[in-house]
Amino acid sequence: MTETPALHALWPAPLADGTVHATVTVPGSKSVTNRALVLAALAAEPGWVRRPLRSRDSQLMADALRALGVGIEETASSSSGDGSGGEAWRIIPAALHGPATVDVGNAGTVMRFLPPVATLASGDIRFDGDPRSYERPLGQVISALRTLGARIDDDGRGALPLTVQGGGALEGGVVEIDASNSSQFVSALLLSGPRFNQGVEVRHTGTALPSMPHIRMTVEMLRAAGAQVDTPEAGGEPNVWRVAPSALLGRDMVVEPDLSNAQPFLAAALITGGTVTIPDWPRRTTQPGDELRRIFTEMGGSCELTDAGLVFSGSGKIHGIDVDLNEVGELTPGIAAVAALADSPSTLRGVAHLRLHETDRLAALTAEINGLGGEVTETADGLHIRPRPLQGGVFHTYDDHRMATAGAVIGLAVEGVQIENVATTAKTLPDFPKMWARMLSGAGA
């Protein structure tokens, strides 16, 4: 499986020499792309995924579905260099089958969304991935699938590597699951639920669910594909989601820009007192990144949704913030980077689950910002950040794309910051160094 090199070249994070004024076209949403691929693969007829994200995570998902027998025809890559452009993928469903091996890399969506899909295949489907993937929580998905009738061999680990002994169908039904570590546990079962003989009823039994916008995204996309979904928001029981058995429709899906990946570019406007425009920012979306409009405005910026997209401007001042990020935890690294440059302390709460992401993000942010002279204290469920004068140094990424972009944000204001393994941004944001340079040159990205 994919191995991570022990040593990586250091990337000198560019120092901003003035205010940033640029238009940045952000590639498609990873979360939308990978959900769209799964739903299209399970549909009863071919469909299209337009403007998909072409990145490591989405390529792992596409390759995995191909290994199971799904046809995915990709148009020629866009020449825009942003990973999207006019590209489109035609998805041709087929009878899922093994034997096959799936490389999940370190992609949470692949390692969690595809074992339920594999139960619908005939034959053994083995799942493996990067070393970090062995440490990420998966036991709740494994035990839930067993409750629903699946046969899975994981040698009792409750984690990767594992083999799903696909029987060509899954009975489905009612299952209880503690998804307090990841909303992806719920989404994983819902996405394949229409294809289970009895559908699925997922009952969350743990504490508050993190990243609820991602579950709402899953529900909306299921409904768009013709599934019947009952949710707590629609008057159902709290923490219970039901998906009826049905055929899924092949759709023509256009992927929104990844709003969470817009974060470092918006942060650049905030830090330098400049203006960045993100084209095609949706007026209505389930993406958690939409909260950046509110959070970064509270930290000193201003924004307006226009026909050109989201226009975000910094005021030249950065204020600290006290904020619960439970529903938008993936934004924490970028917010922490901006908070380290603010004029007052910040408290980021509700994100204990980040200890189980691509890396332990709370420990990583504490170590790396403090390594540059900052004062970050880890709390039970987040971070307390007291701004201090920072100096240059190596900012380690732990093979985590959002750590890399967080380091680049700090490097705008702190001379001599060097990012270890900036290439890890390819997980969801292709060509980030080139996009960053173009933004700073005023040419856009």
Side-chain angles (χ1 to χ4, degrees):
M1 286 293 127
T2 308
E3 295 292 337
T4 302
L7 297 174
H8 299 285
L10 298 179
W11 178 68
L15 184 72
D17 58 5
T19 57
V20 168
H21 295 278
T23 296
V24 179
T25 300
V26 178
S29 163
K30 180 230 7 187
S31 298
V32 174
T33 297
N34 280 2
R35 283 166 173 79
L37 285 171
V38 170
L39 290 172
L42 295 177
E45 57 194 352
W48 289 90
V49 179
R50 301 188 187 276
R51 298 191 66 188
L53 172 69
R54 181 184 286 276
S55 72
R56 187 186 185 214
D57 275 20
S58 60
Q59 200 62 55
L60 286 167
M61 180 67 83
D63 289 346
L65 291 170
R66 286 191 180 104
L68 296 178
V70 178
I72 302 179
E73 300 174 352
E74 304 183 24
T75 65
S77 298
S78 162
S79 61
S80 65
D82 69 0
S84 58
E87 190 168 0
W89 295 351
R90 182 165 170 79
I91 317 300
I92 305 170
L96 304 176
H97 61 82
T101 297
V102 170
D103 179 6
V104 309
N106 191 19
T109 53
V110 182
M111 72 179 69
R112 290 161 184 157
F113 292 179
L114 287 192
V117 174
T119 67
L120 304 171
S122 58
D124 289 354
I125 312 298
R126 177 171 172 79
F127 289 82
D128 207 338
D130 296 354
R132 171 64 179 173
S133 72
Y134 296 2
E135 303 170 15
R136 299 187 68 182
L138 192 59
Q140 290 291 322
V141 174
I142 295 170
S143 60
L145 288 173
R146 286 176 174 148
T147 297
L148 297 172
R151 294 179 299 163
I152 300 175
D153 178 11
D154 66 339
D155 290 333
R157 287 183 299 270
L160 291 170
L162 60 85
T163 298
V164 176
Q165 299 170 25
L170 192 70
E171 190 59 23
V174 180
V175 65
E176 293 186 347
I177 188 169
D178 181 354
S180 52
N181 282 333
S182 175
S183 68
Q184 288 178 353
F185 298 168
V186 174
S187 289
L189 298 172
L190 298 183
L191 286 167
S192 292
R195 289 284 303 271
F196 299 163
N197 292 340
Q198 298 182 36
V200 70
E201 178 179 304
V202 181
R203 308 182 72 91
H204 167 60
T205 61
T207 56
L209 268 168
S211 304
M212 276 296 297
H214 280 127
I215 295 181
R216 290 192 282 270
M217 176 187 294
T218 297
V219 169
E220 286 203 5
M221 293 183 68
L222 274 162
R223 288 173 172 161
Q228 179 183 330
V229 189
D230 294 329
T231 68
E233 293 90 344
E237 295 179 61
N239 293 324
V240 177
W241 293 262
R242 296 184 183 91
V243 180
S246 69
L248 292 174
L249 306 174
R251 291 298 196 192
D252 194 327
M253 163 74 71
V254 179
V255 178
E256 298 173 350
D258 193 314
L259 307 187
S260 294
N261 276 340
Q263 183 179 41
F265 305 102
L266 300 180
L270 183 58
I271 288 168
T272 67
T275 298
V276 166
T277 299
I278 309 292
D280 301 319
W281 193 286
R283 292 186 178 273
R284 181 188 175 278
T285 181
T286 54
Q287 288 192 61
D290 195 43
E291 276 295 288
L292 288 168
R293 292 190 291 152
R294 176 184 65 84
I295 294 168
F296 277 174
T297 295
E298 189 173 335
M299 296 187 78
S302 62
C303 65
E304 181 183 5
L305 268 176
T306 71
D307 291 341
L310 180 70
V311 180
F312 183 86
S313 299
S315 63
K317 296 182 179 180
I318 308 169
H319 308 309
I321 192 171
D322 187 328
V323 62
D324 187 333
L325 298 175
N326 180 261
E327 291 204 347
V328 294
E330 65 193 48
L331 304 180
T332 302
I335 294 170
V338 173
L341 304 170
D343 58 12
S344 58
S346 294
T347 299
L348 313 184
R349 297 177 283 104
V351 287
H353 60 283
L354 294 189
R355 295 188 170 97
L356 301 170
H357 275 219
E358 280 82 346
T359 187
D360 179 342
R361 284 178 170 166
L362 300 185
L365 287 165
T366 300
E368 298 312 308
I369 295 175
N370 287 353
L372 301 180
E375 185 179 335
V376 180
T377 304
E378 207 174 325
T379 66
D381 73 337
L383 300 172
H384 183 71
I385 302 168
R386 186 178 296 276
R388 290 282 184 265
L390 303 180
Q391 71 271 345
V394 175
F395 195 95
H396 299 91
T397 64
Y398 309 86
D399 294 326
D400 185 334
H401 57 133
R402 300 206 191 280
M403 287 295 297
T405 53
V409 166
I410 292 174
L412 289 173
V414 180
E415 188 172 5
V417 174
Q418 299 182 81
I419 311 299
E420 172 263 344
N421 189 21
V422 75
T424 195
T425 53
K427 176 181 173 69
T428 61
L429 194 56
D431 295 325
F432 170 73
K434 184 184 298 183
M435 293 177 69
W436 201 242
R438 285 179 58 83
M439 174 196 71
L440 290 172
S441 72

